[in-house]
């Protein structure tokens, strides 16, 4: 009998005791609050919580193949088995250690199940290579099933990713279980903000890359609103949407892009009036609070439905219009699965092929009516699926509302003509298609998958 490690015990506690609908971020917050671990143990616990959440369906397939009665396994025992199976299948943990620690995990929640755990986990270890190679699948499906198992994703989603990204899907799939790199955006009103964090300045003004997580928690950088955590590609899109005049941001959430846009407006010397709209009143309050702490003015946070802007603004007979309307649409989040581990196994084909595109198109059509003459409409997601991105834009352009707009390159946005910003345009151009739409995709060591289309009102 070996001694159960603190890291594995903490990971099991967080996974097994969380609500079934909990998001990975909520689970990690619970890990921070309940587990007093040193840096090494915390890193392992974090890896296990995210990894098990990301690959839960594949882990269950591996375990169920070795269980006589899979449906009779108690929930806490299954979580313990999943933690051990993740180590066996995806980490470099020696087999004997992974199995013995898995047995102790199970023993800690159901002593009588320790023998079962030992037998099941040893069989999972013995069959590891055959399972990951999908030797049990039909020959015609073997390659895609093997790819799905190695990446920890559902088979249907692998097929969707390949259809949308082509060869770039390989990089996403190979890095699906890796940690995502961390970037910050610095508050230009805070002198010396860059000195409080690790990493290096990026070609995009205000962006800090290569950041270590420990450096941002140590000095309350985020609590003071000296910076926000924001993916580099998301920062590029928010910068492209930053223009002088009036701006309506639809889907502002907690305001990460609001913060970036306000910061870039300060750097560019733009005078702006900004309305940040979100369906959640709680997220609106969080956005307003952070913007206030950051020292930004001229921003109104508004709670309301982006699909019914007449109700939001109460001006059905005299539409309020804006120089810029930025739709940061609700989406599958498939470009951010490394950060939001629950995504892959909660999505359905109905979500990505029908429900989300229908909502996204409705938001775009509503937003279009609020763009003033000569104004710009930007549409963004953190998805890599064409059904939510280019297909939605093309559907919009074929509507009565969309006929008043034309696509223009994201990298040609006016802010990138300013001194200091021009270098960032090249980062966008490397991921733009022939119409100027931006689509990035994750790969090992690179940032997240984001989409942006920029449209100009021509009549």
């Amino acid at each position: 009998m070996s001694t159960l490690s603190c890291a594995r015990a903490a990971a099991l506690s967080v996974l097994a005791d969380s609500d079934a609908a909990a998001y990975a971020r909520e689970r990690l917050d619970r890990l921070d609050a309940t587990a007093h671990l040193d840096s090494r143990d915390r890193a392992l616990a974090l890896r296990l919580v995210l990894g098990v959440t990301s690959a839960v369906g594949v882990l269950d397939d591996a375990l169920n193949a070795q269980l006589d009665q899979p449906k009779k396994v108690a929930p806490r025992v299954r979580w313990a088995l999943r933690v051990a199976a993740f180590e066996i299948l995806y980490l470099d943990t020696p087999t004997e250690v992974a199995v013995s620690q898995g047995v102790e995990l199970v023993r800690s929640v159901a002593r009588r199940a320790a023998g079962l755990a030992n037998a099941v986990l040893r069989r999972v270890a013995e069959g590891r290579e055959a399972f990951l190679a999908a030797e049990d699948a039909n020959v015609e499906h073997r390659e895609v099933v093997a790819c799905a198992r190695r990446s920890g994703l559902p088979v249907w989603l692998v097929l969707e990713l390949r259809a949308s990204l082509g060869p770039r899907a390989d990089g996403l799939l190979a890095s699906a279980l890796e940690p995502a790199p961390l970037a910050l955006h610095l508050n230009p009103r805070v002198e010396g903000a860059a000195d409080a964090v690790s990493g290096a300045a990026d070609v995009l003004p205000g962006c800090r890359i290569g950041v270590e997580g420990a450096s941002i928690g140590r000095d309350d950088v985020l609590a003071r609103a000296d910076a926000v955590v924001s993916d580099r590609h998301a920062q590029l899109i928010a910068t492209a949407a930053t223009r002088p005049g009036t701006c309506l941001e639809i889907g502002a959430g907690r305001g990460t892009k609001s913060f970036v846009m306000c910061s870039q407006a300060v750097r560019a010397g733009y005078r702006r009036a900004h309305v940040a709209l979100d369906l959640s009143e709680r997220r609106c309050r969080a956005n307003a609070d952070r913007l206030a702490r950051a020292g930004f003015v001229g921003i109104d946070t508004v709670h309301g439905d982006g699909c019914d802007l007449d109700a939001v603004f109460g001006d059905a007979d005299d539409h309020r219009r804006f120089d810029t309307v930025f739709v940061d649409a609700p989406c599958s989040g498939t470009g951010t699965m490394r950060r939001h581990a629950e995504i892959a196994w909660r999505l359905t084909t109905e979500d990505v092929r029908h429900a989300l595109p229908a909502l996204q198109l409705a938001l775009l059509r509503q937003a279009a009516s609020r763009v003033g003459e000569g104004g710009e409409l930007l549409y963004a997601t953190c998805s890599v699926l064409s059904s939510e991105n280019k297909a939605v834009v093309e559907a919009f352009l074929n509507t009565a509302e969309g006929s008043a707009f034309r696509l223009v390159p994201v990298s040609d946005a006016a802010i990138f003509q300013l001194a200091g910003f021009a270098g960032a345009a090249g980062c966008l151009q490397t991921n733009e298609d022939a119409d100027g739409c931006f689509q990035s995709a994750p790969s090992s060591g690179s940032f997240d998958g984001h989409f942006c289309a920029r449209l100009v009102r021509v009549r």
Side-chain angles (χ1 to χ4, degrees):
M1 186 184 300
S2 62
T3 301
L4 178 60
S5 78
C6 296
R8 294 177 177 88
L12 175 59
S13 175
V14 169
L15 289 164
D17 292 341
S18 297
D19 182 88
Y23 291 99
R25 174 49 52 192
E26 294 169 346
R27 287 172 168 162
L28 296 182
D29 289 344
R30 188 175 181 280
L31 178 63
D32 290 337
T34 62
H36 303 288
L37 305 172
D38 62 27
S39 58
R40 182 177 177 180
D41 281 342
R42 187 186 183 283
L44 176 56
L46 179 68
R47 186 79 176 89
L48 293 172
V49 169
L50 286 177
V52 170
T53 305
S54 295
V56 64
V58 175
L59 299 175
D60 281 344
D61 285 346
L63 291 167
N64 291 346
Q66 307 301 336
L67 287 162
D68 293 333
Q69 296 178 300
K71 293 182 179 180
K72 291 191 175 181
V73 176
R76 293 180 69 83
V77 171
R78 182 169 285 279
W79 279 116
L81 291 172
R82 287 167 174 161
V83 171
F86 180 78
E87 288 202 69
I88 291 168
L89 294 177
Y90 297 112
L91 300 187
D92 294 328
T93 309
T95 298
E96 286 301 319
V97 174
V99 171
S100 64
Q101 285 291 296
V103 171
E104 294 311 310
L105 271 180
V106 171
R107 193 191 309 276
S108 72
V109 296
R111 179 174 293 275
R112 292 182 179 180
L116 170 70
N118 184 60
V120 168
L121 293 176
R122 289 194 179 280
R123 289 198 293 267
V124 169
E126 290 167 1
R128 176 183 183 275
E129 296 304 323
F131 175 77
L132 291 177
E135 292 181 5
D136 57 317
N138 293 334
V139 173
E140 62 268 31
H141 301 140
R142 187 166 295 165
E143 187 276 332
V144 69
V145 174
C147 182
R149 288 179 179 177
R150 291 192 181 100
S151 60
L153 300 175
V155 171
W156 75 265
L157 184 53
V158 170
L159 293 171
E160 294 281 343
L161 293 168
R162 287 178 167 179
S164 294
L165 290 173
R168 288 204 291 173
D170 293 342
L172 184 155
L173 295 168
S175 63
L177 294 173
E178 296 178 4
L182 183 64
L184 297 176
H185 194 83
L186 303 177
N187 186 341
R189 296 186 177 278
V190 178
E191 185 176 351
D195 298 333
V197 297
S198 62
D202 184 52
V203 66
L204 176 69
C207 181
R208 194 84 172 179
I209 58 175
V211 178
E212 297 175 1
S215 73
I216 62 175
R218 185 172 56 240
D219 297 316
D220 293 327
V221 171
L222 302 184
R224 294 195 305 266
D226 293 353
V228 293
V229 176
S230 178
D231 181 78
R232 180 176 183 258
H233 293 147
Q235 293 185 44
L236 284 167
I237 290 170
T239 302
T242 306
R243 303 174 66 232
T246 55
C247 174
L248 171 61
E249 179 188 6
I250 298 173
R254 294 178 177 274
T256 299
K257 289 190 177 75
S258 304
F259 183 102
V260 174
M261 295 168 75
C262 291
S263 297
Q264 300 296 45
V266 170
R267 293 186 178 95
Y270 289 162
R271 293 175 61 86
R272 299 170 70 250
H274 187 147
V275 176
L277 171 70
D278 196 81
L279 186 60
S280 166
E281 191 171 4
R282 177 176 55 84
R283 288 195 292 265
C284 285
R285 288 196 300 268
N287 189 7
D289 177 64
R290 180 162 58 187
L291 292 172
R293 282 183 282 120
F296 296 124
V297 296
I299 306 100
D300 293 325
T301 55
V302 177
H303 164 231
D305 186 354
C307 288
D308 189 1
L309 294 178
D310 287 345
V312 170
F313 294 113
D315 58 357
D317 297 326
D318 183 20
H319 276 22
R320 180 180 177 185
R321 288 179 170 81
F322 299 82
D323 298 307
T324 306
V325 177
F326 177 35
V327 180
D328 196 8
C331 67
S332 65
T334 45
T336 64
M337 291 187 290
R338 295 175 301 178
R339 302 181 196 277
H340 304 288
E342 71 284 341
I343 286 175
W345 295 96
R346 293 187 183 180
L347 279 177
T348 67
T349 55
E350 169 63 22
D351 293 331
V352 302
R353 294 176 184 172
H354 304 292
L356 285 168
L359 172 60
Q360 291 152 353
L361 179 58
L363 286 167
L364 260 180
R365 296 181 71 175
Q366 274 283 301
S369 69
R370 297 293 170 158
V371 180
E373 184 177 351
E376 295 190 4
L377 172 63
L378 290 97
Y379 171 73
T381 75
C382 54
S383 171
V384 295
L385 300 178
S386 57
S387 60
E388 299 179 83
N389 296 337
K390 198 63 180 289
V392 171
V393 173
E394 290 172 350
F396 167 71
L397 290 171
N398 286 321
T399 64
E401 299 90 345
S403 65
F405 292 83
R406 65 178 176 87
L407 275 170
V408 293
V410 177
S411 60
D412 283 352
I415 195 168
F416 297 120
Q417 314 308 312
L418 301 179
F421 285 88
C427 302
L428 289 162
Q429 290 165 356
T430 58
N431 289 291
E432 282 181 339
D433 65 14
D435 293 319
C437 293
F438 173 85
Q439 177 69 77
S440 60
S443 61
S444 185
S446 77
F447 291 95
D448 288 346
H450 288 267
F451 174 83
C452 183
R454 179 170 161 253
L455 303 107
V456 174
R457 179 178 280 282
V458 293
R459 61 176 177 82

